[in-house]
Amino acid sequence: MTRNVFVLGLTPLQREELATVHESGDLQFHDLLDHETLVETEEIDFDALLDRARAQLDAFDGSVDAIVSHWDFPTSVLGPVLAAERGLPAPSLTSLLKLEHKYWSRLEQRQAVPEVVPGFVAFDPFADDVAEQIDLDFPYWVKPIKGHSSNLGFEIRDDADLLAALEEIRAEITDVGDAFDQVLARVDLPEELHGLGGSACLAEEIITGTQFAPEGSVSGGQFAVHGVVDMLKAESGLSIERIDYPAATVPEHVQQQARDVTARLLEHIGFDDGCFNSEFMWDEERQELRIIEVNTRISQSHSEMFALVDGRSNHQVAVDVALGHAPCMPKGDGDLTVAAQYVVAHEGDAIVRGIPGDSVLEQIAERYPGTRITFPVAVGDRLSELPHQDSYRYLLAIVYVGAPDREALQERIHDIEQVLQFDLEDCSEGSA
């Protein structure tokens, strides 16, 4: 029997990764909406996207057996809503929003796992008294209660930083915030969230240390973690530069503590029949664990790494859960022992005049089999005009590479970085 699995925002690389999924019987994977509509756009209308997806599913001549999500909002909410409407396994919308809404999530964390929650406060970025609303000492971090990637997240060291951040936040936050309001209108919100809609913000105590992330699922009430990744920051400490799998920067007992915390939190909010990746910070000097956030999906950033090390992408887990049975993910069945996702980034604004050609990519792939490189930019793009960019850098390339050991992995990353050359015309403020 053939089962039809619909994947939101499917890319060619992800279609190849889905080929690693093993299930009894035949699976047919279908695009549901497209990557440009769901990820690349700055204009989000959740209700309109939901209607388009419904129409596509209704027009399909066959059974709809599973719906899979692996991108940030709106995809992370669209998938479960569509699945629930068709009686397919999915988290309840309320449990989903208790994680998706960053302030609501912090309130739930404070109830369930208070020992790992940093100081936080919600605020209205359009108010005249923002500084008075934030009762945290400098420095602190501000971000939307519903953002996209690391967009509109800022470190605030003084009043001038806050004013500069508010200028950008006010100009852009409603791009996602208005669509998130459409979702919030579908559930009963607690009194603490009244007046804190999709365009509200969160200020948080800055936590330092080593960042890592367990990724897993809850299926039929059964909690499981299929892998833990290291999240290594750039020298500035403001952005994630590289993700390594499997994790090796924190002790196993700390990884287990993070698993236990995540399980307690998800049970507390009633999250079931869905995937997650939870981000933590470990301060070794203080022997202190802090939770950053819990995302309600597998991470597409991790997929290729799982395929290189374990022989299957993490779509295996997402598909298993979406079909309603316990995930079956192998360990160590891939061709390599360790893998990384590494980003090539540029800090200033620029126009892209040239990117590495096919011959360069073929040379890298021949030297390091299994390496994948994608370019989120194209010739002619102005970096500052690309949607959903990190607040502190612009991505030029995303590299997936594996190796037989960690020393070789570092050498391969260094080698690839030297080969990937971009032609950029600087147009940062103050440039010639």
Side-chain angles (χ1 to χ4, degrees), residues 232-234 239-243 301 340-346 374 376 390 393-400 413 417 420 422:
L232 309 176
K233 291 189 175 183
S239 302
I240 300 298
E241 181 178 62
R242 175 174 151 190
I243 302 173
S301 297
Q341 182 220 57
Y342 178 84
V343 300
V344 179
H346 186 70
T374 61
D390 186 307
R393 62 178 182 180
Y394 303 105
L395 299 187
L396 300 177
I398 302 172
V399 180
Y400 300 94
I413 289 173
E417 187 177 24
L420 290 179
F422 292 80

Side-chain angles (χ1 to χ4, degrees), residues 68-214:
V68 173
S69 308
H70 50 214
W71 296 104
D72 280 337
F73 183 81
T75 308
S76 56
V77 178
L78 275 172
V81 169
L82 291 165
E85 289 179 347
R86 291 176 173 269
L88 300 173
S92 70
L93 183 56
T94 298
S95 71
L96 199 72
L97 292 177
K98 286 180 179 180
L99 297 173
E100 292 271 341
H101 189 299
K102 294 186 188 299
Y103 180 55
W104 198 355
S105 183
R106 284 301 193 200
L107 294 175
E108 296 295 327
Q109 291 166 24
R110 193 159 62 187
Q111 291 182 30
V113 289
E115 72 276 11
V116 296
V117 182
F120 65 94
V121 61
F123 67 92
D124 176 3
F126 295 98
D128 295 329
D129 63 342
V130 170
E132 285 71 33
Q133 294 182 54
I134 302 173
D135 57 352
L136 298 174
D137 294 330
F138 295 122
Y140 55 81
W141 190 262
V142 298
K143 58 187 176 183
I145 60 95
K146 174 64 342 190
H148 193 292
S149 300
S150 298
N151 187 230
L152 301 183
F154 299 95
E155 182 182 23
I156 307 300
R157 298 177 298 272
D158 51 35
D159 290 331
D161 279 351
L162 179 59
L163 290 174
L166 287 174
E167 183 177 359
E168 287 196 49
I169 288 170
R170 288 165 176 167
E172 300 180 32
I173 194 170
T174 56
D175 292 346
V176 174
D178 288 351
F180 197 54
D181 278 333
Q182 294 175 318
V183 180
L184 294 177
R186 297 171 177 270
V187 301
D188 294 326
L189 298 175
E191 186 176 345
E192 300 96 317
L193 266 62
H194 291 174
L196 295 170
S199 295
C201 283
L202 191 65
E204 296 185 329
E205 169 192 355
I206 287 182
I207 51 179
T208 59
T210 303
Q211 192 166 338
F212 67 103

Side-chain angles (χ1 to χ4, degrees), residues 23-24 26 34 46 49 71 95 114 130 133 183 190 201 214 233 249 276 331 335 365 385 397 406 408 410 412 416 431:
E23 291 286 342
S24 59
D26 292 331
D34 58 76
F46 184 86
L49 290 171
W71 296 104
S95 71
V130 170
Q133 294 182 54
V183 180
C201 283
K233 291 189 175 183
T249 60
F276 68 85
K331 277 290 183 186
D335 296 328
E385 295 176 354
R406 294 186 186 276
Q410 183 60 50
R412 293 182 181 191
I416 292 169
S431 65

Side-chain angles (χ1 to χ4, degrees), residues 203-270:
E204 296 185 329
E205 169 192 355
I206 287 182
I207 51 179
T208 59
T210 303
Q211 192 166 338
F212 67 103
E215 183 175 285
S217 60
V218 186
S219 181
Q222 296 300 307
F223 174 89
V225 170
H226 54 263
V228 182
V229 302
D230 285 328
M231 306 182 73
L232 309 176
K233 291 189 175 183
E235 289 185 11
S236 66
L238 298 172
S239 302
I240 300 298
E241 181 178 62
R242 175 174 151 190
I243 302 173
D244 282 11
Y245 175 69
T249 60
V250 297
E252 173 56 36
H253 77 273
V254 176
Q255 295 184 32
Q256 185 58 50
Q257 184 183 355
R259 294 185 189 99
D260 294 342
V261 165
T262 305
R264 285 162 51 203
L265 175 62
L266 296 183
E267 182 179 12
H268 169 76
I269 67 172

Side-chain angles (χ1 to χ4, degrees), residues 58-69:
D58 289 343
F60 179 68
D61 184 20
S63 62
V64 176
D65 300 296
I67 299 173
V68 173
S69 308

Side-chain angles (χ1 to χ4, degrees), residues 378-394:
V379 174
D381 284 346
R382 180 163 180 163
L383 299 180
S384 62
E385 295 176 354
L386 297 173
H388 308 308
Q389 290 291 305
D390 186 307
S391 297
Y392 290 97
R393 62 178 182 180
Y394 303 105

